[in-house]
Amino acid sequence: MLVNGRQYRTLWWEDGALKMIDQRLLPCRFRILSVNTLGGVCDAISDMAVRGAPAIGAAAAYGMAIAQLQGLGLKESYERLYNTRPTAYDLKDGLDHYMRAQGEPVEKAVEYANASSERCRMIGVHGAKLMREGLRVLTHCNAGALACVDWGTALSPMRVMKNEGRDLFVWVDETRPRLQGAKLTSWELKQEGIRHSLITDNSAGHLMQKGLVDMVLVGADRIAANGDVANKIGTYSLAVLARENNIPFYVAAPKTTFDRGCRSGGDIIIEERDALEVTHIAGGNRLEMQPITYDGCPARNWAFDITPRKYVRGVLTEEGII
Ligand code: MRU
């Protein structure tokens, strides 16, 4: 991805450590986090320094490499990484790939990260064919390069279009409570030079009703065998609104997000995070969380929801559109 004109990946191996763009601080600060312990990788995933399904899959593979280099038990390390976040299937895919792969520890993780980046690039190649010049796309959360090793899922076709010199416009949901849209997606689109406008999460219905949205395109954290999709909380509401307004609703995801062992969305574990993320709001520096409710206000914080497959027009994958 482009950061001030220079190419970066979300995470990579350098000087004996896993480096990652610290997503908790964007867009106010661009800081590279360096992690060289299994606990450090687990914390980075659960605290969302690295987040987004394919990115945490790759982080988990690097975490296994660190564990193996340090002589830790692979089974216990697998369990610790697996238990960091429950919803994204890519996390398990990255761990399982590592367990199956042959070779040096870091090589195995790099191989997974490279393949993950390529899968996302191909999602863009296939997805861009679906998108016409001037399209107005609405997206939710961050399914961009930051959520992956590179390219993104939902944002990958947009990048491919941009590279082909084709114009499009993106409505960016702010995505409460952690504001991945406001903080990450709008920043990525600016870096890539793609036209966009940030909107509050509550605006989508109004914009659709006014005929200002041609397509909804989001990522996924897990897709069940029947096609139900788990993605960032609020995705289901968008899908229902899109159906009501005759707007095609598409999901972009690599094969590593498909969980054949999960029959339907009802079997997917939905992560519930700390209520503090709802009662407080974080500025660029996570240490600066500000309260927005009275002290002690009860709150709940589900991170994902399930969109039944009947609302999904198609899934953009690295092999084409399903
Ligand atoms: O809680 P997050 O920020 O990890 O949630 C991320 C999402 O919901 C993305 O839409 C999803 O991982 C697909 S990203 C390519």
Side-chain angles (χ1 to χ4, degrees), residues 82-89 91 222 268-272:
Y82 181 73
N83 287 319
T84 49
R85 293 192 76 190
T87 305
Y89 188 65
L91 176 65
R222 191 180 295 238
I268 298 176
I269 299 171
I270 300 293
E271 176 181 12
E272 188 170 355

Side-chain angles (χ1 to χ4, degrees), residues 48 51-54 85 141-143 147-148 153 180 219-221 231-232 304:
M48 295 175 64
R51 34 87 24 220
R85 293 192 76 190
C141 192
N142 172 263
C148 305
T153 55
Q180 290 94 327
D221 286 85
N231 191 49
K232 180 53 54 192
F304 302 97

